[in-house]
Amino acid sequence: MKSLDEIADDLAAVVAMRTSPDFGIKVGGELFDHLVKTGKITKKTFSVFGTGAFPLELPAYDGKHYVLDDWELGDREFQVGTPKAK
């Protein structure tokens, strides 16, 4: 079984491969806690489409990407992606 540090490194590698900054991240609870403890997740103010409207302080990976503690994922799992088109 991979350590939390190894999984965090895997996540960082996936994020580094993205060519667009427009994506979100979902992580399991144990990984979320680990990323908070290591300083990879901090709070950042996000707004609707970056307009400044309806600002909310939310968890951000590397201070750039919204990250969700997703209870449906396994504790050490993650997903990186963009919302599906309807």
Side-chain angles (χ1 to χ4, degrees):
M1 176 187 273
K2 286 187 174 186
S3 72
L4 286 168
D5 286 326
E6 290 170 319
I7 297 168
D9 289 345
D10 292 345
L11 173 58
V14 170
V15 168
M17 290 181 359
R18 293 294 173 132
T19 57
S20 168
D22 300 327
F23 62 88
I25 303 168
K26 295 192 310 185
V27 298
E30 192 175 350
L31 181 56
F32 185 91
D33 292 344
H34 177 75
L35 294 169
V36 169
K37 287 178 187 170
T38 59
K40 293 299 280 181
I41 294 177
T42 56
K43 291 201 176 184
K44 180 184 176 199
T45 301
F46 290 93
S47 63
V48 176
F49 300 114
T51 63
F54 307 106
L56 292 171
E57 192 172 84
L58 299 168
Y61 181 84
D62 277 344
K64 301 176 196 170
H65 311 287
Y66 172 66
V67 61
L68 171 68
D69 181 355
D70 190 332
W71 59 270
E72 291 183 341
L73 290 178
D75 274 337
R76 294 171 169 238
E77 293 180 339
F78 66 86
Q79 292 180 350
V80 179
T82 54
K84 293 181 182 179
K86 292 184 181 181

